[in-house]
Amino acid sequence: MSISLPSGLSLRRLRRVSALLSLTCALTLSAQGTTPATQQPANAPAKKSKHTAARSTEHSAAARRARRRAANAKIPHVAATAQSIRLHSAFIASAQLRPMAQQLAATRSAAAYAGVTNYARTHPGEGAAAAYLALGHAEMLDHHFADAAASFQAASAHGSALADYSDYLGAQAQLQAGHGAAAFALLDNFATRHPGSIFIADAPMLLANAYMQQGDAQNALRVLAPLVNTEQGSHADFQYALARADQLAGNTAEAARLYRQIYISQPLEPEAAQARTQLASLNIAPLTAAERKSHADQLFLAHRYAEAEDEYDAISGNDPTLSAADRDALAIYEAVCQLKTKKLTGHDAEKLPQTSDDSGAARLYILAEIARADGNNALDRQYIDTLIQQFPHSHWLEEALYSAGNMYLLQHDYANAIFHYATLVQLFPTSAYAPSSHWRAAWMNYRLRNYPEAARLMDEQLQSYPGGQEISGALYWRARMYEDEEHNYAQALNYYRTLADVYPNYYYAILARERIAALGNQSAGTPPAPFLAYVHQPEIVPLTDVLPENDIHLIKARLLANAALNEYIAPEMQAGAGSATWGALAEAEIYASYGEYFRALETMKHSGLHFF
């Protein structure tokens, strides 16, 4: 489903469509697989008045209105300050710049550069400052670092509303241009000069890097030392900067410790690969094969298969202390990576060594995947049966079952898909795959008209996996079976009403309200089925449509859009007090104001998915 918003949509009007965005979210995320057409059973009672259905949802609608009022009441009134007034004025002064700046950021064409440059030269004060920021940002993207540094310096000279951006981005440009000394004044006492800036945590690292570029390790260590035991000190980029400063100062043992810590503890960060290179150059206590394999395993789990393959191969080829069993295991792990990147052939897989440890399970997983891809379902089932017999608790069996279930589902081989999904749930009930596997088994039983088993599984879904995204579908289709197959209209209504009350904005709630209107009020005196007791209101963020218009981070975010510094809009918004309740709407308004309606929709969808 696609929705286009009118090109003339204003900031204020976007609030009016928040309900539409909510519906889009629900339609996108609540539908489970292929939804059969909703049918009216021939023997269903006559449709009752719409007023009957309205009364059945009055309570939940009133509750939602009450929650919205409560959320709005929690938004503190932010009084105008000298800074907020200055930011408002800067926003108004640079409003006409926005389309030109956005075009420059998107195309970086000669014409776009000329347009923004002309705007900067013909407008005074904050308008010019925003234009120079837009120029500097584009020049940074084009790697014209000296030009960018000059533009950021011009921005600082013309206005102060975004002074922290002029200083921080200007320091980045100077550092990239090789002029680290020019960054000292821009970054020194940054937190004092720019209280509340989103760059306060990162400014010391940038300053330390500037010192190190000039060969001044002691000042770099001086700047970083106060942050060692803070939350910032746990980040890989900080630890890498500290390690480089120690290395430059001659503290090689401490530098090696930090590099090793980054490589082992934070393998997915970009600094991990740099840390490994630095460790090799220090030649102090080289990494063990076990440490390197742990690193490669984390890369594999993050789906970075090419990097993991390179690491497995390097371990096997560079460590003479490895046993034959270790080499066999590494060869199999490398083959799994090749399978994921579609480089492994069946012939190569058949030559893999047979082992009795968990790598043996990985080998069977590989063979099952290749057999299934080749259409040899009998051989695939043979390998999976062997996995079940020999490695019943292996992660590779869990992966093989889920993969097989998914492929048979795509092939519309529902019986085979049900077997693999059900076996996964039986052997790995706490698996991350278990809720979706259990639901798919239930749904396919329904498609096969095996209604008693489908009903049992859907009720079991409510009991075993409450709160999951499959619950709204389980409620609806279990209710349909009560209505269509069991003709228990009263219990069907209990399920429909629970669905409409607990998940009011979900796709299936829309269908449930239609069924409530059709069936009328027939559940008087009929106690709800016990499984409904497991259904509870999902935890949601109390979103609001009231924006704190004088919040400096909100105004800054809008001003950043005028200068096309789009990647800083979300971080700036998140720094605002209470932005968890209003930030998504404000961010969506900004994107919609310069025509990025799809991005506005995505922002609203990711805000919590529930609207009052």
Side-chain angles (χ1 to χ4, degrees), residues 199-389:
F199 299 119
I200 285 176
D202 295 324
M205 283 186 295
L206 191 58
L207 179 57
N209 285 326
Y211 279 123
M212 283 187 278
Q213 190 182 81
Q214 304 303 304
D216 188 348
Q218 294 306 319
N219 265 321
L221 289 170
R222 174 185 61 80
V223 170
L224 295 174
L227 301 176
V228 169
N229 294 320
T230 66
E231 193 272 336
Q232 183 71 18
S234 65
H235 296 176
D237 55 351
F238 176 88
Q239 292 178 1
Y240 185 77
L242 185 59
R244 284 186 57 236
D246 275 315
Q247 184 178 0
L248 188 62
N251 305 328
T252 53
E254 178 62 12
R257 184 190 71 81
L258 288 168
Y259 288 138
R260 191 186 205 92
Q261 179 174 298
I262 295 168
Y263 180 84
I264 296 171
S265 302
Q266 304 190 64
L268 305 182
E269 298 297 332
E271 290 80 10
Q274 298 169 316
R276 176 186 166 186
T277 301
Q278 295 297 330
L279 270 175
S281 69
L282 291 174
N283 199 26
I284 298 176
L287 291 161
T288 67
E291 289 171 334
R292 295 183 65 183
K293 182 180 179 299
S294 174
H295 177 91
D297 290 344
Q298 292 301 312
L299 293 173
F300 179 89
L301 292 174
H303 301 244
R304 289 161 59 171
Y305 301 119
E307 296 171 70
E309 178 190 348
D310 290 343
E311 188 69 3
Y312 289 133
D313 182 62
I315 299 168
S316 180
N318 298 334
D319 194 331
T321 65
L322 294 174
S323 67
D326 290 334
R327 294 185 189 282
D328 287 346
L330 288 168
I332 293 172
Y333 297 139
E334 187 178 348
V336 177
C337 295
Q338 293 169 347
L339 174 73
K340 296 293 186 180
T341 54
K342 303 186 184 304
K343 296 190 299 183
L344 186 70
T345 67
H347 179 69
D348 291 334
E350 290 170 359
K351 294 190 296 184
L352 290 172
Q354 297 190 40
T355 65
S356 58
D357 58 11
D358 197 58
S359 61
R363 173 181 172 274
L364 289 169
Y365 163 79
I366 292 171
L367 294 172
E369 291 289 299
I370 291 176
R372 196 180 319 117
D374 290 342
N376 193 338
N377 293 350
L379 186 58
D380 167 41
R381 181 65 175 268
Q382 179 181 327
Y383 286 130
I384 288 184
D385 286 343
T386 304
L387 268 168
I388 293 172
Q389 294 167 11

Side-chain angles (χ1 to χ4, degrees), residues 1 26-27 99 169 240 248 267 303 306 310 342 371 394 402 421 437 448 450 477 537:
M1 177 178 181
L27 290 175
L169 299 180
Y240 185 77
L248 188 62
H303 301 244
D310 290 343
K342 303 186 184 304
S394 173
Y402 195 63
Y421 287 137
S437 295
L448 293 174
N450 187 2
W477 292 110
Q537 194 78 34

